[in-house]
Amino acid sequence: MNNLSLAAHWVRGRETLPRYLILGMTNLCNSKCVTCFYWDHLNVNRHLEMTLEEYDRALSDLGSLFSVVLTGGEPTLNRELPDVTRLLYRRHEASNVTMPTNSLIPEQVEAIVSRVLESRADERQTFTVGLSLDHLGETHDRIRGAPGNFEKLIETYRRLAAVQSRSQGLTLNVQTVLASFNQDDLPEITQWVSSNLSAINFHSFELLRPPFPDPSIRGLTSAEYARALDFLRPYWARFDRYRPILKNLKVAARVAELETLEAERMVYKCYAGSISGVLNPEGTVALCEVQWEIGNIRDFDYSFAKAWFSPKAVEMRQRIARRECWCTHSCFMTSSLPFSAKGLAHLATTTLSGERSRQSTARASQRSAASQSGIDSRQQGNRAPRC
């Protein structure tokens, strides 16, 4: 089903299987991040995780997929991940697959990424890797609970930048959790990224999501988030190698999150359970990552459709439609915005605002370059003659 037929299907009010899937690869993790909302699921019940054969059966009901996010745990600790992406790219015609990584095993990340790129059916299909960076140096290591993580992130970046230079279809991003511990250090963090990670396509920031294990940290208030977005908008405008439609959608979703945080209610319709869904590594099917678990895929004879259209799932979708919940989950905000009139209008407004910011940033860069050129010329004229 292409995008136009999906839109027509949705407009007619028919329920559809998800086109945007969050797919858990493993609960195994070698980090101990103070920001992790999934911390109490990590490194337990490994025996319940799905095998490759079970992934094959569990996904077989799904049609073509627009976007899949592979999560964990640390996704690269599942060595069968490229075999799963082969299913996603070839059987389900996935346009893009995204994977975050903590970068703790650079050589393994590089090997997994290389195999994933080989698993594609078409070079137009893309694979996006998000390097998790929450601060700089030892502060980053403390937040991630992994000494030496910052240096390993740099090595992982260098390895993947080399892969990117010789392979079509690899998008390299940086992902930062925005919280009380780094909100005042955004200039330092973004300057370092600009200076040292020049091959990245985009740098995203996502709000801290509860429940997290460290009571000494906190999420941002709406006022703090508004200040952060004011700083980040011109920074984001400089990323001109990232697909404009994706960048505009990400920025629009961040602004929508601010509006939601200010209102403390669902401001834009959420299509979790319709457009997007979740399959966790132990087989749990859910409408979203925050709540609304339907049950285990094994109890539905490995049929995603049976779980998705079960009476329990239908009742949960009705509760979401009645706006009985709200959150600022970036994945579901991003995937939902294009499917409501209000969301589309917001996306158009944010796109126009972003274009003005980009033009303003470009003009400022030109003025700075011209000014520097004048300084260099004057300095050149003042030099002593060479013998």
Side-chain angles (χ1 to χ4, degrees):
M1 186 185 295
N2 62 32
N3 291 335
L4 288 177
S5 62
L6 172 66
H9 198 78
W10 165 74
V11 166
R12 288 194 296 269
R14 298 180 183 175
E15 291 182 337
T16 180
L17 286 165
R19 293 287 305 282
Y20 180 104
L21 184 67
I22 293 180
L23 183 61
M25 286 286 94
T26 182
N27 288 329
L28 184 64
C29 193
N30 47 358
S31 294
K32 295 181 180 179
C33 305
V34 300
T35 58
C36 185
F37 75 98
Y38 202 63
W39 61 275
D40 56 346
H41 289 73
L42 298 179
N43 303 315
V44 296
N45 298 324
R46 293 288 319 287
H47 64 288
L48 297 177
E49 292 186 6
M50 290 189 291
T51 63
L52 177 60
E53 179 185 358
E54 288 180 301
Y55 276 108
D56 189 347
R57 294 177 63 188
L59 297 170
S60 62
D61 280 350
L62 300 178
S64 61
L65 294 166
F66 178 70
S67 182
V68 182
V69 180
L70 307 178
T71 65
E74 167 55 32
T76 61
L77 295 180
N78 183 340
R79 294 179 183 272
E80 293 183 326
L81 185 149
D83 299 308
V84 175
T85 61
R86 181 175 295 273
L87 287 171
L88 296 172
Y89 282 126
R90 295 173 182 261
R91 188 173 69 189
H92 300 284
E93 302 173 325
S95 299
N96 178 70
V97 177
T98 296
M99 179 192 76
T101 179
N102 59 24
S103 302
L104 279 174
I105 311 178
E107 63 278 10
Q108 185 160 317
V109 176
E110 179 188 16
I112 290 283
V113 170
S114 297
R115 288 177 58 201
V116 168
L117 291 172
E118 292 171 356
S119 76
R120 295 174 297 162
D122 190 318
E123 284 193 342
R124 291 172 297 181
Q125 294 172 311
T126 55
F127 186 52
T128 301
V129 179
L131 305 176
S132 296
L133 174 71
D134 293 331
H135 216 291
L136 305 178
E138 293 182 357
T139 304
H140 171 77
D141 295 350
R142 287 196 298 272
I143 293 168
R144 309 292 299 183
N149 195 165
F150 185 71
E151 292 302 320
K152 289 178 180 177
L153 180 143
I154 295 172
E155 182 185 347
T156 301
Y157 162 77
R158 289 172 178 161
R159 287 171 177 261
L160 296 187
V163 174
Q164 186 184 50
S165 69
R166 61 178 184 264
S167 303
Q168 254 189 323
L170 176 60
T171 299
L172 194 54
N173 291 349
V174 169
Q175 299 175 333
T176 299
V177 174
L178 192 53
S180 56
F181 53 73
N182 60 10
Q183 63 167 324
D184 295 328
D185 302 318
L186 295 183
E188 180 185 2
I189 294 169
T190 55
Q191 180 57 51
W192 186 88
V193 170
S194 297
S195 300
N196 295 277
L197 308 181
S198 59
I200 69 165
N201 297 87
F202 193 67
H203 184 180
S204 64
F205 289 77
E206 300 184 7
L207 287 169
L208 178 68
R209 192 187 317 163
F212 41 85
D214 188 343
S216 69
I217 66 173
R218 62 171 179 82
L220 301 191
T221 65
S222 58
E224 289 170 336
Y225 193 33
R227 286 195 295 272
L229 290 182
D230 285 343
F231 173 81
L232 290 171
R233 280 191 189 94
Y235 173 63
W236 284 330
R238 299 203 296 266
F239 288 96
D240 55 5
R241 291 188 296 110
Y242 196 48
R243 289 177 61 187
I245 189 171
L246 294 179
K247 181 167 71 172
N248 293 334
L249 184 55
K250 282 181 178 289
V251 175
R254 302 298 86 82
V255 178
E257 290 162 10
L258 174 60
E259 294 179 34
T260 301
L261 198 60
E262 289 172 334
E264 296 185 350
R265 60 178 176 81
M266 188 189 297
V267 175
Y268 296 89
K269 279 187 177 181
C270 178
Y271 290 97
S274 300
I275 301 301
S276 51
V278 178
L279 178 60
N280 286 320
E282 72 281 2
T284 303
V285 181
L287 302 189
C288 78
E289 275 193 307
V290 178
Q291 54 183 348
W292 310 119
E293 290 187 356
I294 302 168
N296 196 285
I297 195 79
R298 298 179 178 102
D299 297 329
F300 292 92
D301 195 26
Y302 292 94
S303 171
F304 199 100
K306 286 182 181 178
W308 200 246
F309 299 125
S310 66
K312 183 177 182 180
V314 171
E315 190 269 337
M316 287 177 173
R317 271 190 286 275
Q318 292 170 347
R319 293 179 64 185
I320 294 174
R322 293 195 296 267
R323 306 192 179 206
E324 293 185 14
C325 60
W326 68 273
C327 73
T328 56
H329 192 310
S330 60
C331 294
F332 293 92
M333 191 72 75
T334 302
S335 61
S336 294
L337 274 181
F339 289 93
S340 70
K342 183 176 181 179
L344 279 173
H346 170 70
L347 177 57
T349 301
T350 306
T351 299
L352 290 173
S353 175
E355 179 59 22
R356 288 194 293 268
S357 178
R358 186 194 66 79
Q359 292 174 355
S360 176
T361 301
R363 287 193 296 269
S365 297
Q366 290 170 354
R367 288 194 296 269
S368 176
S371 175
Q372 185 62 44
S373 176
I375 292 171
D376 290 344
S377 297
R378 291 192 295 273
Q379 290 175 339
Q380 181 72 27
N382 290 332
R383 287 178 184 164
R386 294 176 65 90
C387 296

